[in-house]
């Protein structure tokens, strides 16, 4: 599962990497690497395309983790005849998928906040097109509902009404948009 988390973090960083869409003119001291004035629309289009691909990758990773959870719940230790999932749940009450989801949302929160702090273009795209960002996240959440029978959560499935899930977006938006 650590491999899935590392891959997810790399995918998030790649999706938010703005360097390929930025002009690569002479760089040096005092020269910022920014999109050309006419290139801002292309930058935003690339960013949103990357984020849509990222949501598909997150969905795929959750599917893999859910499959792992299914396999571990069916397989038993040949010596003790205890399900592997029972051994794992001795350490944590949360299911594997729930634990992965909490890690994934934490990674998303950190990486989005970091990208918004370090790039005014990403911050402006997130702020200016916040409904699009929220729609991407809500669509992902709806797609993941098929796995909800395997997750015991105290969180609401409505991201808009849930303060824990909403925290990632509110950090990006700032307190003036609440």
């Amino acid at each position: 599962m650590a491999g899935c988390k590392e891959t997810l973090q790399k995918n998030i960083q790649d999706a938010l990497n703005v360097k390929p869409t930025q002009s690569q003119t002479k760089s040096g001291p005092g020269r910022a690497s920014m999109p050309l004035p006419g290139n801002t629309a292309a930058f935003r289009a690339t960013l949103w395309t990357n984020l849509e691909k990222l949501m598909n990758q997150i969905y795929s990773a959750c599917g893999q983790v859910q499959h792992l959870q299914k396999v571990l719940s069916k397989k038993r230790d040949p010596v003790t005849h205890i399900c592997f999932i029972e051994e794992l749940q001795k350490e944590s009450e949360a299911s594997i998928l729930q634990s992965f989801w909490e890690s994934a949302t934490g990674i998303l929160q950190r990486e989005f906040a970091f990208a918004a702090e370090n790039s005014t273009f990403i911050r402006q795209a997130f702020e200016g097109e916040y409904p699009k960002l929220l729609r991407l996240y809500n669509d992902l959440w709806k797609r993941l509902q098929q796995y909800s029978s395997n997750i015991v959560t105290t969180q609401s499935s409505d991201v808009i009404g849930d303060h824990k899930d909403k925290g990632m977006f509110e950090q990006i938006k700032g307190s003036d948009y609440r």
Side-chain angles (χ1 to χ4, degrees):
M1 216 166 70
C4 277
K5 291 177 189 176
E6 291 171 6
T7 302
L8 177 64
Q9 185 161 7
K10 183 185 179 309
N11 289 341
I12 294 168
Q13 290 169 347
D14 289 347
L16 297 173
N17 184 4
V18 295
K19 289 187 179 25
T21 60
Q22 291 181 344
S23 67
Q24 298 299 322
T25 58
K26 296 179 185 178
S27 61
R31 294 192 184 255
S33 177
M34 299 185 296
L36 297 172
N39 214 9
T40 304
F43 164 78
R44 284 191 176 197
T46 302
L47 176 66
W48 292 114
T49 301
N50 288 349
L51 290 177
E52 286 176 10
K53 289 177 186 176
L54 174 65
M55 296 302 159
N56 290 333
Q57 292 167 341
I58 292 170
Y59 176 77
S60 176
C62 286
Q64 292 172 357
V65 171
Q66 194 267 345
H67 182 70
L68 174 64
Q69 183 171 321
K70 272 186 182 178
V71 169
L72 291 175
S73 66
K74 292 180 181 180
K75 295 290 183 180
R76 295 185 175 272
D77 185 337
V79 177
T80 62
H81 303 290
I82 296 174
C83 280
F84 288 122
I85 196 79
E86 291 174 10
E87 286 296 316
L88 288 174
Q89 287 181 335
K90 285 181 183 177
E91 297 173 17
S92 171
E93 290 296 317
S95 71
I96 295 171
L97 188 54
Q98 181 180 355
S99 174
F100 177 77
W101 178 249
E102 290 170 0
S103 296
T105 55
I107 292 168
L108 273 171
Q109 182 178 355
R110 284 190 307 274
E111 293 297 329
F112 276 28
F114 180 78
E117 287 173 11
N118 292 319
S119 172
T120 58
F121 297 102
I122 289 179
R123 182 174 185 86
Q124 289 171 354
F126 284 170
E127 289 176 350
E129 299 181 62
Y130 178 71
K132 187 183 269 188
L133 180 62
L134 189 58
R135 181 190 51 80
L136 285 174
Y137 190 77
N138 280 335
D139 289 349
L140 172 65
W141 185 253
K142 287 176 187 172
R143 289 173 62 194
L144 291 172
Q145 288 302 303
Q146 68 178 325
Y147 302 132
S148 67
S149 62
N150 296 320
I151 303 174
V152 178
T153 88
T154 59
Q155 296 179 346
S156 160
S157 64
D158 182 10
V159 174
I160 295 171
D162 187 78
H163 296 291
K164 291 180 182 176
D165 286 339
K166 203 164 116 179
M168 175 178 78
F169 298 110
E170 288 188 355
Q171 267 194 349
I172 294 167
K173 287 293 288 181
S175 61
D176 54 337
Y177 291 96
R178 288 185 192 172

